[in-house]
Amino acid sequence: MTAKTSKNLRTSGSVAMDDYLEQILLLIEDKGYARPVDVSKNLGISQASVTNMLQKLDTEGLVVHKKYQSTILTEKGHTIANAIVMRHQMLTKFLRLFKLDEETIYRDVEGMEHHVSKDTLNVITSLISELEEDPELLERVKARI
Ligand code: ZN
């Protein structure tokens, strides 16, 4: 892999790690703290697996995980989590323009958010602006679907 192509590739270790970081940030934004038990509940993963992953993320310098304490994102972890949450929001906004059902949107976005490059996200962001500013264009696109 050359340096040129790597810039658009995933920033963290794995899809699973991304999902944890995303969930931790959402919990912190929602409640002010992220408890491993809530991460476990929201991701539908056993507490033992969550503990393992949090230890791994701690080793990688992405979170601070201490027993019986809420999980904290490091600056590096926060940057990655923030990028995923932003991709999630942008992709959701895009698909909602076309009135797809929420379940489909959520499922597709959860898959795409891990893989979409910065360049493609820029394309989608521009399309959102164009379609929002031009309702007739949006209607024409929707009529084709
Ligand atoms: Zn997501």
Side-chain angles (χ1 to χ4, degrees), residues 22 84 88 109-110 113:
E22 178 186 31
I84 299 159
H88 182 111
V109 167
E110 278 306 302
E113 69 189 10

Side-chain angles (χ1 to χ4, degrees), residues 133-145:
E133 284 163 22
D134 189 346
E136 281 173 23
L137 173 61
L138 178 59
E139 287 312 313
R140 279 206 305 280
V141 174
K142 277 158 76 178
R144 279 176 173 272
I145 299 168

Side-chain angles (χ1 to χ4, degrees), residues 20-68:
Y20 275 79
L21 294 172
E22 178 186 31
Q23 199 51 240
I24 292 163
L25 180 58
L26 291 176
L27 281 165
I28 291 171
E29 284 178 348
D30 186 37
K31 302 181 162 205
Y33 53 86
R35 293 182 307 167
V37 61
D38 294 322
V39 175
S40 160
K41 206 164 61 191
N42 291 1
L43 290 177
I45 291 167
S46 76
Q47 285 210 52
S49 303
V50 169
T51 301
N52 280 340
M53 181 57 100
L54 291 177
Q55 278 162 356
K56 193 175 164 201
L57 291 169
D58 188 301
T59 307
E60 304 247 342
L62 300 172
V63 307
V64 179
H65 169 67
K66 290 196 190 100
K67 221 174 174 182
Y68 308 123

Side-chain angles (χ1 to χ4, degrees), residues 44-133:
I45 291 167
S46 76
Q47 285 210 52
S49 303
V50 169
T51 301
N52 280 340
M53 181 57 100
L54 291 177
Q55 278 162 356
K56 193 175 164 201
L57 291 169
D58 188 301
T59 307
E60 304 247 342
L62 300 172
V63 307
V64 179
H65 169 67
K66 290 196 190 100
K67 221 174 174 182
Y68 308 123
Q69 286 184 24
S70 302
T71 304
I72 297 163
L73 287 168
T74 63
E75 201 182 322
K76 193 175 154 199
H78 190 270
T79 302
I80 294 169
N82 216 24
I84 299 159
V85 170
M86 273 176 52
R87 275 178 274 170
H88 182 111
Q89 288 170 347
M90 203 49 82
L91 291 165
T92 300
K93 194 174 178 189
F94 179 64
L95 294 180
R96 276 188 182 151
L97 286 173
F98 307 99
K99 307 269 184 263
L100 298 173
D101 71 89
E102 284 297 314
E103 207 189 307
T104 303
I105 292 176
Y106 185 77
R107 207 179 42 232
D108 287 354
V109 167
E110 278 306 302
M112 290 189 288
E113 69 189 10
H114 302 291
H115 305 289
V116 71
S117 67
K118 215 174 181 174
D119 291 346
T120 298
L121 202 66
N122 279 339
V123 170
I124 290 171
T125 306
S126 304
L127 279 173
I128 292 171
S129 305
E130 285 297 324
L131 291 165
E132 279 181 342
E133 284 163 22

